[in-house]
Amino acid sequence: MTDKLEVLRASVIALAEGKKYAALRDILSTMKPADIAALFERDMPEETVPLLFRLLPKNLAADTFVEMDSASQHTLIKGFSDSELKEVVDELYVDDAVDLIEEMPAMIVKRILQQADAEKRRMINGILKFPEDSAGSIMTTEFVDLLPGMTAEEAIRSIRRSGIEKETINNCYVTEKDRKLIGVVTIRHLIMADPSAIMTDLMDDQVISVNTLEDQEAVAHQFSKYNLIAMPVVDQEERLVGIVTVDDVLDVLEAETTEDMEKMAAIVPTDNSRPYLKLSVFDLWKSRIPWLLLLMISATFTGMIITGFEDALAKYVVLTAYIPMLMDTGGNSGSQASVTVIRGISLKEIEFSDLLRVIWKEMRVALCCGITLAAANFLKLLLFDRLTVLVALTICLTLIVTIFFAKLVGCTLPLLAYKLGFDPAVMASPFITTIVDAISLLVYFQFAIHLLDL
Amino acid sequence: MTDKLEVLRASVIALAEGKKYAALRDILSTMKPADIAALFERDMPEETVPLLFRLLPKNLAADTFVEMDSASQHTLIKGFSDSELKEVVDELYVDDAVDLIEEMPAMIVKRILQQADAEKRRMINGILKFPEDSAGSIMTTEFVDLLPGMTAEEAIRSIRRSGIEKETINNCYVTEKDRKLIGVVTIRHLIMADPSAIMTDLMDDQVISVNTLEDQEAVAHQFSKYNLIAMPVVDQEERLVGIVTVDDVLDVLEAETTEDMEKMAAIVPTDNSRPYLKLSVFDLWKSRIPWLLLLMISATFTGMIITGFEDALAKYVVLTAYIPMLMDTGGNSGSQASVTVIRGISLKEIEFSDLLRVIWKEMRVALCCGITLAAANFLKLLLFDRLTVLVALTICLTLIVTIFFAKLVGCTLPLLAYKLGFDPAVMASPFITTIVDAISLLVYFQFAIHLLDL
């Protein structure tokens, strides 16, 4: 994959330097937009990109532009004349134009809106008013709508007339005069149907739709639950205002997965429109330092617990050697439970009302895991580390209790966060580790005091 | 959502007990398959499910069946008569039938295959021969193929004849006599086109296709890269054998994300077709204990390091109190880097050839994070914990070096795993934490020895 891209890159640069523009145009014209964008972003000399871009046929140019990351789009637009910018903007679907505008600085946004025609500007502004990550913000307003009284033949004629500008014609929506959504009909149904059949008979009147303000993650969940390829978006009065298409849903899922993983790893989510290699050191620092700082400060408690038992530790120095193992095993056990529950919540497999069921299950899993690990460890402590039975018992009992609490905290906190309206993903390993560390040390020293007579 | 489901569940059970079958049928007929499946799986009395299932219209019954989890499918099939089973199997698309067969025990598989007609059995067996998680295993063989010489009018007529059995007609594939794939044409193009235009002129001959053996995750990546809704699958001779549709890709993405998150949390991936609440305690134990055991044993090294410096620790007991903070901060820093890189690899933003660039970036981020944390910590140690400057210095210098190594290990290991053909996701926090723990202790004691004259 990369190697092929490398070879292509080298020959494109050579052709550009040799001014073989006809050949370049031929090569680029057979490529897919996403591949051209990848080529442009792969260490292409900065002056070559605009040159190559101008060689692309108009349609392909716009599609390629959409696939580029925002930094490269920015560079390209800065070099555009007004008429070049207009050509690209004219070809963009409304939802792509909105995505572009959201990423660009104010000066460029102004230029883009100036180049859009009045109708497109109206549509862009209509979408821009919706909150970030809402269904309204990712929808397009270019869809096929049909009237309830139309016949299949009339519907197909209407699609032939206007379909070329629509993002998809696979699903068509039937609306009443006041734009109220009353049904959906697929192109398959229209083609299969008797030409004289009317929409009210052909359409499915159980339409799954979302409100403009619905969260994009919930929209994506509906797509996968109901196997959709497009979904209508309605306003508070149930009037059809746009559609979300499945290609945008794939992007949403990708971005949301990245965000969840970042949160689970104690990272403040970064700007998803920019790939890792284009993020600056400062960007990365900014997204990583807050949680590191917070978690470091929380570790103070763990330190205080150890300080409180300093005398005990001084008497039994050997106990110190097992602190990392106890803490790590506790952290790992807790994060297993929390990640499982976080994922279950985001797949809608687990609801807050399942809390007791989840706890009951995790408690039993915790006991099984705890006893297995403690047994293995007990043997190791006696046979290899040659500890006394009482010291080994102290460590192994701590292990069981730590795992028990770790799983309990790990499965409970995400559900509580969810109930309180926070993102459960934040309750993943790092957060839980800090809590479990403290618990495991307290338990350790209690067992030590009672079993070892400290 | 859940509350609505609760209310529905209660009224359905009441109607079933009152034998109001007509009313039940009316209610269920207006529902979507996924919602009926959710209702069946939501604590429905075991004897009620088959009863309700039999009330569903044939088509809806099959669609609902597909949406159920494998445990519920199993229960239902066990109660089916042969003719009931045949009715469901007849309605299933081939890819759904394959999914079902893959989850069922041998006895049930035999019954299912007996009920399928010869043609469907041939198609099912054709798909079953492909390895798990390959493009071949998730494709369907029910697609529209057209001949190169057909006109648009003929093509539409052909679709009207056979389209009803196809999983989708939105993309149609043009094949030569030997079934070699030469182009793709969308239903939109067919409808818009001059009725006498022929396929070779209408079709896009730059078709993006995958080989039957390609990994399903790579297939999903192509869908999101090229904004596809269906993708043709070809064999080694470039002959068209099936298509993958976007609804299956959404399922693949969901399953792969779950698997990645599980691996990152040191869980051996569980059976994804069963939701958390249906997994037994033993299933969960089995998926969690291997890594816990392995990581616990690896922690032995950390213990050995501490034991080796027991005398030093006995002299400066205060040093013990900061071990958890150093280890946790190291672990968190490392997991931030590793999760970022793992995600970058799976989004194809980072390749192995970027290794040096990634390391250079992470080294600078590590220094920035390290210095920030060390500075904050230094003040805290002097002002609140009232340590001497030398002890505070020991701790803070260790912090900087630990973070540096943590980020280095965190960004390098996933790329190395990727290069060697392993799943980078395994190189996430738990694994890295264990390594970083050992490094951070070694650094800690070295600084202590030199700065504190131990």
Side-chain angles (χ1 to χ4, degrees):
Chain A
M1 188 73 194
T2 330
D3 290 345
K4 262 157 78 182
L5 197 62
E6 260 331 289
V7 173
L8 186 65
R9 191 182 79 88
S11 44
V12 163
I13 292 179
L15 285 171
E17 279 169 358
K19 306 203 161 124
K20 309 277 186 213
Y21 298 135
L24 273 173
R25 196 186 156 97
D26 286 347
I27 293 178
L28 293 173
S29 298
T30 64
M31 288 172 62
K32 300 287 171 190
D35 292 321
I36 304 179
L39 179 70
F40 284 0
E41 285 163 5
R42 192 83 202 166
D43 298 326
M44 192 58 76
E46 208 167 282
E47 66 285 3
T48 315
V49 174
L51 188 152
L52 294 176
F53 191 82
R54 289 189 176 101
L55 289 174
L56 298 175
K58 225 165 67 177
N59 219 315
L60 189 57
D63 288 345
T64 302
F65 187 79
V66 169
E67 298 292 333
M68 293 168 68
D69 66 52
S70 59
S72 313
Q73 286 174 333
H74 191 180
T75 317
L76 210 47
I77 292 185
K78 280 192 295 188
F80 278 167
S81 70
D82 279 353
S83 66
E84 280 174 325
L85 183 58
K86 185 171 172 47
E87 269 186 15
V88 170
V89 173
D90 278 350
E91 293 285 331
L92 291 183
Y93 286 120
V94 174
D95 54 344
D96 294 327
V98 170
D99 287 347
L100 174 63
I101 282 175
E102 281 170 345
E103 294 298 332
M104 293 295 122
M107 275 303 294
I108 303 255
V109 169
K110 212 169 141 190
R111 274 189 67 202
I112 294 172
L113 287 175
Q114 273 166 358
Q115 297 311 321
D117 58 40
E119 169 66 4
K120 188 164 250 169
R121 199 158 50 227
R122 195 188 56 75
M123 290 200 278
I124 291 173
N125 283 323
I127 296 179
L128 278 176
K129 71 168 191 261
F130 293 109
E132 203 184 349
D133 298 343
S134 67
S137 76
I138 54 166
M139 71 184 183
T140 178
T141 46
E142 292 154 316
F143 54 85
V144 177
D145 48 351
L146 304 169
L147 293 171
M150 275 182 174
T151 63
E153 198 179 356
E154 285 166 350
I156 290 178
R157 213 178 308 136
S158 153
I159 293 170
R160 285 183 65 122
R161 238 184 354 251
S162 69
I164 200 76
E165 298 157 15
K166 309 304 184 187
E167 185 156 337
T168 177
I169 63 156
N170 298 334
N171 283 354
C172 305
Y173 300 93
V174 182
T175 53
E176 288 180 323
K177 285 250 169 54
D178 57 359
R179 305 190 51 78
K180 200 165 263 172
L181 175 67
I182 57 168
V184 58
V185 59
T186 62
I187 190 77
R188 186 203 306 231
H189 274 100
L190 288 178
I191 288 181
M192 300 288 179
D194 179 335
S196 64
I198 61 166
M199 288 309 116
T200 36
D201 295 331
L202 287 177
M203 71 187 190
D204 176 0
D205 58 3
Q206 303 289 327
V207 200
I208 298 161
S209 63
V210 276
N211 187 276
T212 45
L213 299 177
E214 184 68 80
D215 184 71
Q216 61 175 5
E217 205 171 350
V219 176
H221 182 72
Q222 305 266 46
F223 269 80
S224 88
K225 180 172 177 192
Y226 298 112
N227 299 323
L228 305 173
I229 56 171
M231 192 170 183
V233 183
V234 297
D235 64 13
Q236 311 298 338
E237 280 82 41
E238 296 287 317
R239 284 176 309 207
L240 179 62
V241 291
I243 62 169
V244 174
T245 50
V246 72
D247 56 313
D248 297 321
V249 166
L250 287 175
D251 294 342
V252 167
L253 281 178
E254 206 165 78
E256 295 282 348
T257 301
T258 303
E259 206 184 299
D260 276 358
M261 286 185 179
E262 285 176 339
K263 283 186 186 157
M264 287 182 183
I267 300 171
V268 178
T270 48
D271 176 2
N272 276 316
S273 68
R274 282 163 67 197
Y276 170 77
L277 289 173
K278 296 218 173 174
L279 288 170
S280 71
V281 170
F282 180 68
D283 287 335
L284 289 168
W285 175 83
K286 221 172 49 182
S287 67
R288 293 183 186 179
I289 199 73
W291 275 105
L292 285 182
L293 210 48
L294 188 69
L295 292 168
M296 184 181 82
I297 293 169
S298 324
T300 306
F301 294 105
T302 339
M304 281 162 58
I305 296 172
I306 293 185
T307 310
F309 291 89
E310 232 167 41
D311 301 339
L313 275 181
K315 252 168 89 182
Y316 266 92
V317 189
V318 64
L319 289 180
T320 313
Y322 298 92
I323 290 180
M325 183 275 289
L326 289 170
M327 281 178 21
D328 281 352
T329 308
N332 291 335
S333 304
S335 86
Q336 286 180 333
S338 70
V339 167
T340 305
V341 171
I342 291 167
R343 186 66 187 151
I345 294 173
S346 93
L347 293 178
K348 314 258 176 207
E349 289 174 2
I350 303 177
E351 287 289 336
F352 182 71
S353 55
D354 296 318
L355 181 63
L356 291 181
R357 269 207 265 189
V358 172
I359 289 179
W360 172 229
K361 188 171 292 236
E362 288 298 329
M363 274 167 47
R364 286 174 296 160
V365 176
L367 277 181
C368 294
C369 287
I371 290 169
T372 318
L373 292 181
N377 207 36
F378 193 73
L379 288 177
K380 183 212 154 217
L381 294 180
L382 289 188
L383 300 178
F384 292 95
D385 299 0
R386 307 209 161 270
L387 299 185
T388 65
V389 172
L390 275 184
V391 174
L393 210 56
T394 304
I395 296 168
C396 291
L397 287 177
T398 305
L399 196 58
I400 295 177
V401 177
T402 298
I403 292 174
F404 187 84
F405 278 111
K407 297 258 184 227
L408 194 66
V409 171
C411 74
T412 312
L413 283 190
L415 276 166
L416 284 179
Y418 175 59
K419 176 72 178 175
L420 296 174
F422 296 110
D423 190 333
V426 173
M427 294 299 163
S429 6
F431 197 84
I432 293 204
T433 303
T434 306
I435 298 178
V436 171
D437 281 355
I439 296 177
S440 100
L441 286 174
L442 281 176
V443 173
Y444 196 28
F445 293 131
Q446 286 310 318
F447 273 121
I449 287 171
H450 290 102
L451 287 175
L452 305 177
D453 272 338
L454 292 179
Chain B
M1 188 74 190
T2 332
D3 291 344
K4 262 157 80 184
L5 196 62
E6 261 330 289
V7 173
L8 186 64
R9 189 181 80 87
S11 44
V12 164
I13 292 178
L15 286 170
E17 280 168 358
K19 305 201 162 132
K20 310 278 188 212
Y21 299 134
L24 273 173
R25 196 187 156 98
D26 286 348
I27 293 178
L28 293 172
S29 300
T30 63
M31 287 172 65
K32 300 287 173 191
D35 292 322
I36 304 178
L39 179 69
F40 285 0
E41 285 162 6
R42 192 84 203 164
D43 297 328
M44 192 58 76
E46 207 167 282
E47 66 284 3
T48 314
V49 174
L51 188 150
L52 294 176
F53 190 81
R54 289 189 176 101
L55 288 174
L56 297 174
K58 226 163 67 176
N59 218 316
L60 188 57
D63 288 345
T64 301
F65 188 80
V66 169
E67 298 293 334
M68 292 168 69
D69 65 55
S70 59
S72 313
Q73 286 174 333
H74 191 179
T75 317
L76 211 47
I77 293 185
K78 279 192 295 188
F80 277 168
S81 69
D82 280 353
S83 66
E84 281 174 326
L85 183 57
K86 184 171 171 49
E87 269 186 15
V88 170
V89 173
D90 279 350
E91 293 286 330
L92 291 183
Y93 285 120
V94 174
D95 55 344
D96 293 327
V98 170
D99 287 347
L100 175 63
I101 282 175
E102 281 171 345
E103 294 298 331
M104 292 295 121
M107 274 302 294
I108 303 252
V109 169
K110 212 168 142 192
R111 277 189 66 201
I112 294 173
L113 287 175
Q114 272 166 0
Q115 297 311 320
D117 58 42
E119 168 67 4
K120 187 164 255 169
R121 199 158 49 227
R122 195 188 57 71
M123 290 200 278
I124 290 173
N125 283 323
I127 296 179
L128 277 176
K129 71 168 192 260
F130 293 110
E132 204 184 349
D133 297 345
S134 67
S137 75
I138 55 165
M139 72 183 182
T140 180
T141 45
E142 293 154 317
F143 53 84
V144 177
D145 48 351
L146 303 169
L147 293 171
M150 276 183 174
T151 63
E153 200 179 358
E154 285 165 349
I156 289 178
R157 215 178 307 137
S158 152
I159 293 170
R160 284 183 66 121
R161 233 178 2 246
S162 70
I164 200 75
E165 298 155 16
K166 309 304 185 187
E167 185 155 337
T168 179
I169 64 158
N170 298 333
N171 283 355
C172 304
Y173 301 94
V174 182
T175 53
E176 287 180 325
K177 283 247 170 53
D178 57 0
R179 305 191 52 78
K180 200 164 263 175
L181 175 66
I182 57 168
V184 57
V185 58
T186 63
I187 189 77
R188 185 203 308 233
H189 274 99
L190 288 178
I191 289 183
M192 300 286 179
D194 181 335
S196 63
I198 62 167
M199 289 308 115
T200 36
D201 294 332
L202 285 178
M203 71 186 191
D204 176 0
D205 58 3
Q206 302 290 327
V207 200
I208 297 161
S209 63
V210 277
N211 187 276
T212 46
L213 300 177
E214 183 69 81
D215 185 73
Q216 61 175 5
E217 204 170 352
V219 177
H221 183 71
Q222 304 267 49
F223 268 80
S224 88
K225 180 172 178 193
Y226 298 113
N227 299 325
L228 305 174
I229 56 170
M231 191 170 185
V233 183
V234 298
D235 64 13
Q236 311 298 339
E237 280 82 43
E238 296 287 315
R239 284 174 310 207
L240 180 62
V241 291
I243 61 168
V244 174
T245 50
V246 72
D247 55 315
D248 296 321
V249 165
L250 288 175
D251 294 342
V252 166
L253 281 178
E254 206 166 77
E256 295 283 349
T257 301
T258 303
E259 205 183 301
D260 276 358
M261 286 185 180
E262 285 176 338
K263 283 186 186 157
M264 286 181 183
I267 300 172
V268 178
T270 48
D271 175 2
N272 276 316
S273 68
R274 281 161 69 195
Y276 170 76
L277 289 174
K278 297 219 173 177
L279 288 170
S280 70
V281 170
F282 179 68
D283 288 334
L284 289 169
W285 174 83
K286 221 172 49 186
S287 68
R288 293 184 186 177
I289 199 73
W291 276 104
L292 285 183
L293 210 49
L294 188 70
L295 293 169
M296 183 181 83
I297 293 169
S298 325
T300 306
F301 294 106
T302 339
M304 281 161 59
I305 296 172
I306 293 185
T307 311
F309 291 90
E310 234 167 41
D311 301 341
L313 275 183
K315 250 168 90 183
Y316 266 94
V317 188
V318 65
L319 289 180
T320 314
Y322 298 93
I323 290 179
M325 183 276 288
L326 289 170
M327 281 179 21
D328 281 352
T329 308
N332 291 335
S333 304
S335 86
Q336 286 180 333
S338 70
V339 167
T340 305
V341 171
I342 290 168
R343 187 65 187 151
I345 293 173
S346 93
L347 292 178
K348 314 257 175 208
E349 289 174 2
I350 303 177
E351 287 289 336
F352 182 72
S353 55
D354 296 319
L355 181 64
L356 291 181
R357 269 206 265 189
V358 171
I359 290 178
W360 173 228
K361 189 170 290 233
E362 288 297 331
M363 275 166 49
R364 287 174 296 161
V365 176
L367 277 182
C368 294
C369 286
I371 290 168
T372 317
L373 291 181
N377 207 33
F378 193 72
L379 288 178
K380 181 210 155 220
L381 293 179
L382 288 187
L383 300 179
F384 292 94
D385 300 358
R386 306 210 160 268
L387 299 184
T388 65
V389 173
L390 275 184
V391 174
L393 210 56
T394 305
I395 296 169
C396 291
L397 287 177
T398 305
L399 197 58
I400 295 177
V401 177
T402 298
I403 292 174
F404 187 84
F405 278 110
K407 297 258 185 227
L408 194 66
V409 171
C411 74
T412 312
L413 283 191
L415 276 166
L416 283 179
Y418 176 59
K419 176 72 176 173
L420 297 173
F422 296 109
D423 190 332
V426 173
M427 295 298 165
S429 8
F431 198 83
I432 292 202
T433 303
T434 306
I435 299 178
V436 170
D437 282 353
I439 296 178
S440 98
L441 286 174
L442 281 175
V443 173
Y444 195 27
F445 293 130
Q446 287 309 319
F447 273 121
I449 287 170
H450 291 101
L451 286 176
L452 305 177
D453 271 337
L454 292 181

